[in-house]
Amino acid sequence: MGHSKAEKAKTHKRIVAIASKRFREEGLAGVGIADLMKEAGLTVGGFYKHFDSRDDLVAEAVGSTLGAWKRQVDAAASGGPPLRMSR
């Protein structure tokens, strides 16, 4: 039985979030797909249902991190909470 589009999107987002965190902690070269997928509770084969390549995941994870950072910068600039340097 297949997964719904919503479930697939949620899983995709979870993989990106895990990758983003691990890349920040260990660097791009320090994290393998097998480890990421294991942490997500998925198989390496399942990776290719979400991404064409490791480079695609890296690009999305880095973009996600930069987007979050930009939102914090914008919020601080408009009088919101100050920036914090955390992982």
Side-chain angles (χ1 to χ4, degrees):
M1 179 164 146
H3 295 285
S4 73
K5 288 183 181 181
E7 290 171 329
K8 185 174 180 182
K10 184 177 176 182
T11 299
H12 183 96
K13 199 172 192 174
R14 190 173 83 237
I15 295 167
V16 171
I18 291 168
S20 179
K21 181 177 186 286
R22 296 282 304 279
F23 291 152
R24 288 190 318 270
E25 292 171 351
E26 301 175 36
L28 297 178
V31 181
I33 296 302
D35 291 333
L36 289 173
M37 295 305 282
K38 183 177 180 180
E39 188 172 334
L42 302 165
T43 65
V44 173
F47 172 82
Y48 294 101
K49 293 179 181 181
H50 296 276
F51 305 95
D52 289 332
S53 68
R54 184 179 192 279
D55 289 343
D56 288 345
L57 171 60
V58 169
E60 194 167 334
V62 169
S64 172
T65 298
L66 291 175
W69 178 252
K70 182 171 180 350
R71 286 188 297 278
Q72 287 182 354
V73 169
D74 291 347
S78 59
L83 286 176
R84 55 186 168 77
M85 299 294 288
S86 66
R87 292 183 178 206

